[in-house]
Amino acid sequence: MLFGVPMRLLPPGRRPMSSGSRAGLGAALVLLALVSAIELADGSEARYIGLIVAAPFLAAAFASWRVVLGVGVLATAVGGAFALAGHENRLANATIVVGIGLATAIAAAVAFIRERQAERIAELSRLASVAQQAVLRPLGPQVGTLAVSGRYISATAAADIGGDLYEALDTPYGVRMIIGDVRGKGLDAVRLASIVLGSYRHVAYERADLRAIVADLDRAVARSVGDEDFVTAALVEERGGTLTIVNCGHPAPLLLRRGEVIPLEPPAPAPPLGFMPVVRPRVERLEPGDRLLLFTDGLGEARRDGEFFPTADRAWRLLGHGTVGDGLASLETALVEWVHGRLDDDIALVLMEYAGARPVTAAAVPSWEVGAPES
């Protein structure tokens, strides 16, 4: 069992062979075995040793350059053995053996370059993951009195970060949340998303009115982008069971209440951040068990065969049960299945649940203070 060697039998300091190297080595050995069997069955003359030149290239497609060199040495030895055994075309056979050696060197170089590129891609992926965690910090599971969960679904398999943003903070003015979508993609979108979130994490603790926060964020965006760039955003505040929403050109949040799904449209439309929005708050009174879904427009644009994902129709069945984290996981699974795994845009999701007002506890009064209750 060539590939079943336990790790404990490996020499100290040697890492186990990767699955790619095992696959490349196995394919190359199968090819060498087939060519050898054909040569032995055909007779004493070497007629098929030229096929052996494919072995190192076959290994190079998957294996490390060290494995490719090993395969090449073995292939050269096998080819040389058959060439020496033959009595005809010795010069041609010798040329083929030399060609196998040259092919081994080329294949090893190809494998070396492929490994280095794979390492760079892996490093970039790690950096993107770190940047994602810095820009979009994990939410929940509890923020103030609310159960909160956030989820980012990337449309690009090779990247987990984009221009969508979200945050939830427990501030002196209640739990405040933001969800937004930067126009455009790539590093510029990531940069602007980080600017918006950085500003929000500061002013959310300083401003008593959500409209003042919008004005601060609008100035931050205007200072950082061109004339055609903008950020859509929805800001939410929960305070003592009262929900306040201001919307800057963003998809309306969905309120899930007793089996119904209610879009919380703004009283009047407002442009995105960067275009000096003048917002009008929408105020709702929450009930225990209410859930609120915040999302970016990638969810509304997800479609298959021209049919959009029925978010409002399926929201309660997907999001109304289990924990808020379970709900978002169910929504993502249903969404990816709907589009057959092919999204056109990134999607940011935030789901919160209101359990009820925080109980008011009376401050303890020292027994020596005038008016303190007797024990």
Side-chain angles (χ1 to χ4, degrees), residues 246-285:
V246 293
N247 197 313
C248 305
H250 198 78
L254 299 179
L255 177 64
L256 285 68
R257 172 180 291 169
R258 298 193 300 271
E260 296 184 18
V261 179
I262 307 167
L264 300 183
E265 299 287 349
L273 299 174
F275 292 147
M276 295 183 292
V278 177
V279 295
R280 290 179 57 189
R282 173 166 182 163
V283 180
E284 297 282 337
R285 189 66 188 173

Side-chain angles (χ1 to χ4, degrees), residues 309-333:
F309 181 75
T311 303
D313 294 337
R314 301 181 65 179
W316 177 258
R317 293 196 302 272
L318 295 170
L319 301 171
H321 308 282
T323 67
V324 288
D326 294 336
L328 290 186
S330 298
L331 176 59
E332 180 179 359
T333 300

Side-chain angles (χ1 to χ4, degrees), residues 101-247:
L102 292 176
T104 298
I106 296 172
V110 169
F112 180 82
I113 294 172
R114 177 183 54 76
E115 280 188 284
R116 291 296 176 268
Q117 291 176 337
E119 290 174 359
R120 292 192 188 98
I121 292 173
E123 182 63 24
L124 289 174
S125 179
R126 286 191 292 270
L127 290 174
S129 178
V130 172
Q132 176 84 337
Q133 294 174 7
V135 175
L136 295 181
R137 299 181 299 196
L139 297 185
Q142 195 78 19
V143 180
T145 60
L146 304 179
V148 179
S149 180
R151 208 168 187 91
Y152 194 99
I153 308 173
S154 177
T156 306
D160 295 329
I161 190 168
D164 292 12
L165 58 98
Y166 56 73
E167 182 61 287
L169 302 170
D170 188 9
T171 74
Y173 308 102
V175 177
R176 286 177 164 177
M177 295 179 285
I178 184 175
I179 191 162
D181 190 358
V182 176
R183 177 186 178 273
K185 299 181 182 295
L187 293 178
D188 288 340
V190 176
R191 179 184 62 83
L192 183 52
S194 66
I195 291 173
V196 173
L197 284 175
S199 299
Y200 176 76
R201 287 164 181 159
H202 173 70
V203 298
Y205 290 94
E206 304 295 331
R207 305 298 188 193
D209 193 324
L210 289 180
R211 289 170 293 188
I213 296 178
V214 168
D216 288 336
L217 296 181
D218 178 68
R219 286 191 292 270
V221 170
R223 287 193 298 264
S224 306
V225 301
D227 295 335
E228 298 182 355
D229 295 322
F230 57 84
V231 181
T232 67
L235 284 75
V236 177
E237 177 186 284
E238 184 279 321
R239 189 175 187 181
T242 298
L243 186 72
T244 305
I245 305 172
V246 293
N247 197 313

